[in-house]
Amino acid sequence: MGIQREVRIDLLRGITLLLIFIGHAEFTFSATFQHSRGFADASELFVLLAGMSSALAYYRPNGDLSLKRPWDRAWRIYLAHLLLFLVMGALAAWLAIILPPTEAARDMAGFLAEPGIRGMQAMLLTYMPGNLDILPMYVALMLWAPFIFLLHDRRPGVLFVISAMLWLIAGLGHVNLVNHALDTGHWFFDPLSWQVVFTIGIMLGIRIKNGLDPMPYNRVVFALAAAFAVIAIPVNLAVFREWVTPPFPGFYKELISKTNAGPLRVVDALAILYLAWNIDLVKRAADWPLLKPVAMIGRHSLPVFSVGIFLSAVASVYMDLNARASIVAQMAILVAGCAIQLVLGWQLERRRKRHVSLGSLGIGSINPA
């Protein structure tokens, strides 16, 4: 059962990666697509699943505080972020030379104007334009992961209270980290808020690690989750399209805040994950040959996510320069972008299996990540 559930996590992570690409590509339908899934989007689901995967990979029942493996992962994510930052900076510089101003070039304008100081700030994670503040959040979350493991073994109730209180204080007080690249001056994904989503994911993953069902089926809970997830779709879409105005706009904005992981977003993400986990079709789909490439990109989420961000930037440049692009052209780019990610996942999975085979023969080492 554990292996099946790991495959299911990979499948769901793979789906979220493709959804993130579509949402960031700035197609004419991207924004509506983002808001047509309810209060939560792929980000909340991906962080929940990342927490579950982290527990499966790094948690050791009743173990002492072990920093090495989670912090090694944080270091690799940090390096991937810096590489992605350099690639996006090079893309912006090239675009600034050969094309009229584009959104990608504007996002990196501060870096291109002051590469020295902005580059240093980027290394310190205090300068993150556009979509380049997502991986830094994961760096912060992975640094927090060993302490989640330790607290869970000692006092799981205390862990949840600490996590919830930190989320509440950060949300109500708008406590955040510095980001000089954005007009707000802070991180778009506040790790002090988003840690509660990650912590819940880890707690679910630990249940799997201990041989328990992380989200056991209950008819009443399933019905409530389905009702909430379904109702959230027209409500969120109607507000986004300005068909209706919520009675308390400021309060509603806090409830759906993406920066502070608003409560409606967290509840919606948990409802969607609960439904996906307990629907028989999803359980069976994890083993369908047609969907195995999607599960593969979920297994190799870091490189696929990084490539997906780059591809979405390229797509957004095309859309910036071709505002009236036909739906056929947009769908062609969408299909090509998804195909590139699927091929990358397939190649990375082939390499992983080759390393596993060589390792079993004593020829090479196996990368535990």
Side-chain angles (χ1 to χ4, degrees), residues 21-68:
F21 163 71
I22 297 170
H24 288 170
E26 301 297 336
F27 298 123
T28 54
F29 52 82
S30 288
T32 300
F33 178 77
Q34 281 278 78
H35 290 271
S36 64
R37 301 196 299 275
F39 302 121
D41 59 29
S43 302
E44 287 83 8
L45 290 170
F46 192 81
V47 174
L48 276 173
L49 295 165
M52 296 174 75
S53 296
S54 297
L56 293 174
Y58 306 121
Y59 172 73
R60 296 294 178 267
N62 301 313
D64 295 326
L65 180 63
S66 177
L67 304 176
K68 185 179 187 319

Coordinates of all heavy atoms in Angstrom, one line a residue, residues 21-68:
F21 N 2.7 25.4 -14.8 CA 3.2 25.9 -16.1 C 2.1 26.6 -16.9 O 2.3 27.8 -17.4 CB 3.7 24.7 -17.0 CG 3.9 25.1 -18.4 CD1 4.9 25.9 -18.9 CD2 3.0 24.6 -19.4 CE1 5.0 26.3 -20.2 CE2 3.1 24.9 -20.7 CZ 4.1 25.8 -21.1
I22 N 0.9 26.1 -16.9 CA -0.2 26.7 -17.7 C -0.5 28.0 -17.0 O -0.8 29.0 -17.7 CB -1.4 25.8 -17.7 CG1 -1.1 24.5 -18.5 CG2 -2.6 26.5 -18.4 CD1 -2.1 23.4 -18.4
G23 N -0.6 28.1 -15.7 CA -0.9 29.3 -15.0 C 0.1 30.4 -15.1 O -0.3 31.6 -15.1
H24 N 1.3 30.0 -15.3 CA 2.4 31.1 -15.4 C 2.7 31.5 -16.8 O 3.5 32.4 -17.0 CB 3.7 30.6 -14.7 CG 3.6 30.5 -13.2 ND1 4.5 29.9 -12.4 CD2 2.6 30.9 -12.4 CE1 4.2 29.9 -11.2 NE2 3.1 30.6 -11.1
A25 N 2.2 30.8 -17.8 CA 2.5 31.1 -19.2 C 1.9 32.3 -19.7 O 2.2 32.7 -20.9 CB 2.2 29.8 -20.0
E26 N 0.9 32.9 -19.0 CA 0.3 34.1 -19.4 C -0.5 34.0 -20.7 O -0.6 34.9 -21.5 CB 1.3 35.3 -19.6 CG 2.1 35.6 -18.3 CD 1.2 36.1 -17.2 OE1 0.1 36.6 -17.5 OE2 1.5 36.0 -16.0
F27 N -1.1 32.8 -20.9 CA -2.0 32.7 -22.1 C -3.2 33.5 -21.8 O -3.5 34.0 -20.6 CB -2.5 31.2 -22.2 CG -1.3 30.3 -22.5 CD1 -1.1 29.2 -21.7 CD2 -0.5 30.5 -23.7 CE1 0.0 28.3 -22.0 CE2 0.5 29.6 -24.0 CZ 0.8 28.5 -23.1
T28 N -4.0 33.8 -22.8 CA -5.2 34.6 -22.6 C -6.2 34.0 -21.6 O -7.0 34.7 -21.0 CB -5.9 34.9 -23.9 OG1 -6.2 33.6 -24.5 CG2 -5.1 35.7 -24.8
F29 N -6.1 32.7 -21.4 CA -7.0 31.9 -20.5 C -6.3 31.5 -19.2 O -6.9 30.9 -18.4 CB -7.5 30.7 -21.2 CG -6.5 29.8 -21.8 CD1 -5.8 28.9 -21.0 CD2 -6.1 29.9 -23.2 CE1 -4.8 28.1 -21.6 CE2 -5.2 29.1 -23.7 CZ -4.5 28.2 -22.9
S30 N -5.0 31.9 -19.0 CA -4.3 31.4 -17.8 C -4.9 31.9 -16.5 O -5.1 31.1 -15.6 CB -2.8 31.9 -17.9 OG -2.1 31.2 -18.9
A31 N -5.2 33.2 -16.5 CA -5.8 33.8 -15.2 C -7.1 33.1 -14.9 O -7.4 32.7 -13.7 CB -5.9 35.3 -15.3
T32 N -8.0 33.0 -15.9 CA -9.3 32.4 -15.6 C -9.1 31.0 -15.2 O -9.8 30.5 -14.3 CB -10.2 32.6 -16.9 OG1 -10.4 33.9 -17.2 CG2 -11.6 31.9 -16.6
F33 N -8.2 30.3 -15.9 CA -7.9 28.9 -15.6 C -7.5 28.7 -14.1 O -7.9 27.8 -13.4 CB -6.9 28.3 -16.5 CG -6.5 26.9 -16.3 CD1 -7.3 25.9 -16.7 CD2 -5.3 26.6 -15.7 CE1 -7.0 24.6 -16.5 CE2 -4.9 25.3 -15.4 CZ -5.8 24.3 -15.8
Q34 N -6.6 29.7 -13.7 CA -6.1 29.6 -12.3 C -7.3 29.8 -11.3 O -7.3 29.1 -10.3 CB -5.1 30.8 -12.1 CG -3.7 30.5 -12.6 CD -2.9 29.7 -11.7 OE1 -3.0 28.5 -11.6 NE2 -2.0 30.3 -11.0
H35 N -8.2 30.6 -11.6 CA -9.3 30.9 -10.6 C -10.5 30.1 -10.8 O -11.5 30.2 -10.1 CB -9.6 32.4 -10.8 CG -8.6 33.3 -10.3 ND1 -8.5 33.8 -8.9 CD2 -7.5 33.9 -10.9 CE1 -7.5 34.6 -8.8 NE2 -6.9 34.7 -9.9
S36 N -10.5 29.2 -11.8 CA -11.6 28.3 -12.0 C -11.5 27.0 -11.3 O -12.3 26.1 -11.5 CB -11.8 28.0 -13.5 OG -10.7 27.3 -14.0
R37 N -10.5 26.9 -10.4 CA -10.3 25.6 -9.6 C -10.7 25.8 -8.1 O -10.4 25.0 -7.3 CB -8.9 25.2 -9.8 CG -8.5 24.9 -11.2 CD -7.3 24.0 -11.3 NE -6.1 24.6 -10.7 CZ -5.3 25.5 -11.3 NH1 -5.6 25.9 -12.6 NH2 -4.2 26.0 -10.8
G38 N -11.2 27.0 -7.8 CA -11.6 27.2 -6.4 C -10.6 28.2 -5.7 O -9.9 28.9 -6.4
F39 N -10.7 28.3 -4.4 CA -9.9 29.2 -3.7 C -8.4 28.9 -3.8 O -7.5 29.7 -3.9 CB -10.3 29.3 -2.2 CG -11.7 29.7 -2.0 CD1 -12.6 28.8 -1.3 CD2 -12.2 30.9 -2.5 CE1 -13.9 29.2 -1.1 CE2 -13.5 31.2 -2.3 CZ -14.4 30.4 -1.6
A40 N -8.1 27.6 -3.8 CA -6.7 27.1 -3.9 C -6.3 26.9 -5.3 O -7.2 26.7 -6.2 CB -6.5 25.8 -3.1
D41 N -5.0 26.9 -5.6 CA -4.6 26.5 -6.9 C -3.5 25.4 -6.7 O -3.3 24.8 -5.7 CB -4.1 27.7 -7.7 CG -3.0 28.5 -7.1 OD1 -2.2 27.9 -6.3 OD2 -2.9 29.7 -7.3
A42 N -2.7 25.2 -7.8 CA -1.7 24.2 -7.8 C -0.6 24.4 -6.7 O 0.0 23.4 -6.2 CB -1.0 24.1 -9.1
S43 N -0.4 25.6 -6.3 CA 0.7 25.9 -5.3 C 0.4 25.3 -4.0 O 1.3 24.6 -3.4 CB 0.8 27.4 -5.1 OG 1.1 28.1 -6.3
E44 N -0.8 25.4 -3.5 CA -1.1 24.8 -2.2 C -1.0 23.3 -2.2 O -0.5 22.7 -1.3 CB -2.5 25.2 -1.7 CG -2.6 26.7 -1.3 CD -2.8 27.6 -2.4 OE1 -3.0 27.2 -3.5 OE2 -2.8 28.9 -2.1
L45 N -1.6 22.7 -3.3 CA -1.5 21.3 -3.4 C -0.1 20.8 -3.5 O 0.3 19.8 -3.0 CB -2.3 20.8 -4.7 CG -3.8 21.0 -4.5 CD1 -4.5 20.8 -5.9 CD2 -4.4 20.0 -3.5
F46 N 0.8 21.5 -4.3 CA 2.1 21.1 -4.5 C 2.9 21.2 -3.1 O 3.7 20.3 -2.8 CB 2.8 22.0 -5.5 CG 4.2 21.5 -5.9 CD1 4.2 20.5 -6.9 CD2 5.4 21.9 -5.4 CE1 5.5 19.9 -7.3 CE2 6.6 21.4 -5.8 CZ 6.6 20.4 -6.7
V47 N 2.7 22.2 -2.3 CA 3.3 22.3 -1.0 C 2.9 21.2 -0.1 O 3.7 20.6 0.6 CB 3.1 23.7 -0.4 CG1 3.7 23.7 1.0 CG2 3.8 24.7 -1.2
L48 N 1.6 20.9 -0.1 CA 1.1 19.7 0.7 C 1.8 18.4 0.3 O 2.3 17.7 1.1 CB -0.4 19.6 0.5 CG -1.3 20.4 1.4 CD1 -2.8 20.3 0.9 CD2 -1.2 20.1 2.9
L49 N 1.8 18.2 -1.0 CA 2.5 17.0 -1.5 C 4.0 17.0 -1.3 O 4.5 15.9 -1.0 CB 2.2 16.8 -3.0 CG 0.7 16.6 -3.3 CD1 0.4 16.9 -4.8 CD2 0.2 15.2 -2.9
A50 N 4.6 18.1 -1.3 CA 6.0 18.2 -1.0 C 6.3 17.9 0.4 O 7.3 17.2 0.7 CB 6.5 19.6 -1.3
G51 N 5.4 18.3 1.3 CA 5.5 17.9 2.7 C 5.4 16.4 2.9 O 6.2 15.8 3.6
M52 N 4.4 15.8 2.2 CA 4.3 14.3 2.3 C 5.5 13.6 1.8 O 6.0 12.6 2.4 CB 3.0 13.9 1.5 CG 1.7 14.5 2.1 SD 0.3 14.2 1.1 CE 0.0 12.4 1.4
S53 N 6.0 14.1 0.6 CA 7.2 13.4 0.0 C 8.4 13.6 0.9 O 9.2 12.7 1.0 CB 7.5 14.0 -1.3 OG 6.4 13.8 -2.2
S54 N 8.5 14.8 1.6 CA 9.7 15.0 2.5 C 9.6 14.0 3.7 O 10.7 13.5 4.1 CB 9.7 16.4 3.0 OG 9.8 17.4 1.9
A55 N 8.5 13.8 4.2 CA 8.3 12.8 5.3 C 8.7 11.4 4.9 O 9.4 10.7 5.6 CB 6.9 12.9 5.8
L56 N 8.3 11.1 3.6 CA 8.6 9.7 3.1 C 10.1 9.6 2.9 O 10.7 8.5 3.1 CB 7.8 9.4 1.9 CG 6.3 9.3 2.0 CD1 5.7 9.2 0.7 CD2 6.0 8.1 2.9
A57 N 10.8 10.7 2.5 CA 12.2 10.6 2.1 C 13.1 10.8 3.3 O 14.1 10.1 3.4 CB 12.5 11.7 1.1
Y58 N 12.7 11.6 4.3 CA 13.7 12.0 5.3 C 13.3 11.7 6.7 O 14.1 11.7 7.6 CB 13.9 13.5 5.2 CG 14.3 14.0 3.8 CD1 13.6 14.9 3.1 CD2 15.5 13.5 3.2 CE1 13.9 15.3 1.9 CE2 15.8 13.9 1.9 CZ 15.1 14.8 1.3 OH 15.4 15.2 0.0
Y59 N 12.0 11.4 7.0 CA 11.6 11.1 8.4 C 12.0 9.7 8.8 O 11.9 8.8 8.1 CB 10.1 11.3 8.5 CG 9.5 10.8 9.8 CD1 9.7 11.6 11.0 CD2 8.8 9.6 10.0 CE1 9.2 11.2 12.2 CE2 8.3 9.2 11.2 CZ 8.5 10.0 12.3 OH 8.0 9.6 13.5
R60 N 12.5 9.7 10.0 CA 12.9 8.4 10.7 C 12.1 8.3 12.0 O 12.4 9.1 12.9 CB 14.4 8.2 10.9 CG 15.2 8.2 9.6 CD 14.9 7.0 8.8 NE 15.7 7.0 7.5 CZ 15.2 7.4 6.4 NH1 14.0 7.9 6.3 NH2 15.9 7.4 5.3
P61 N 11.2 7.3 12.2 CA 10.4 7.3 13.4 C 11.3 7.2 14.6 O 12.3 6.5 14.7 CB 9.7 6.0 13.2 CG 9.6 5.7 11.8 CD 10.9 6.3 11.2
N62 N 11.0 8.1 15.6 CA 11.6 8.2 16.9 C 13.1 8.4 16.8 O 13.9 7.9 17.6 CB 11.4 6.9 17.7 CG 9.9 6.6 17.9 OD1 9.2 7.5 18.4 ND2 9.5 5.4 17.7
G63 N 13.5 9.1 15.7 CA 14.9 9.5 15.5 C 15.3 10.8 16.2 O 14.5 11.6 16.6
D64 N 16.6 11.0 16.4 CA 17.1 12.2 16.9 C 17.1 13.3 15.8 O 16.8 13.0 14.6 CB 18.5 12.1 17.5 CG 18.6 11.1 18.6 OD1 17.6 11.1 19.4 OD2 19.5 10.4 18.8
L65 N 17.3 14.5 16.2 CA 17.4 15.6 15.3 C 18.5 15.4 14.2 O 19.7 15.3 14.6 CB 17.6 17.0 16.0 CG 17.7 18.2 15.1 CD1 16.4 18.4 14.4 CD2 18.1 19.4 15.9
S66 N 18.1 15.2 13.0 CA 19.0 15.0 11.9 C 18.9 16.0 10.8 O 17.8 16.1 10.2 CB 18.8 13.6 11.3 OG 19.7 13.3 10.2
L67 N 19.9 16.9 10.7 CA 19.8 18.0 9.8 C 20.3 17.7 8.4 O 19.9 18.3 7.4 CB 20.6 19.2 10.3 CG 20.2 19.7 11.7 CD1 21.2 20.8 12.1 CD2 18.8 20.2 11.7
K68 N 21.2 16.7 8.3 CA 22.0 16.5 7.0 C 21.1 16.4 5.8 O 21.3 17.2 4.8 CB 22.9 15.3 7.2 CG 23.9 15.2 6.0 CD 24.8 14.1 6.1 CE 25.9 14.0 5.0 NZ 25.4 14.3 3.7

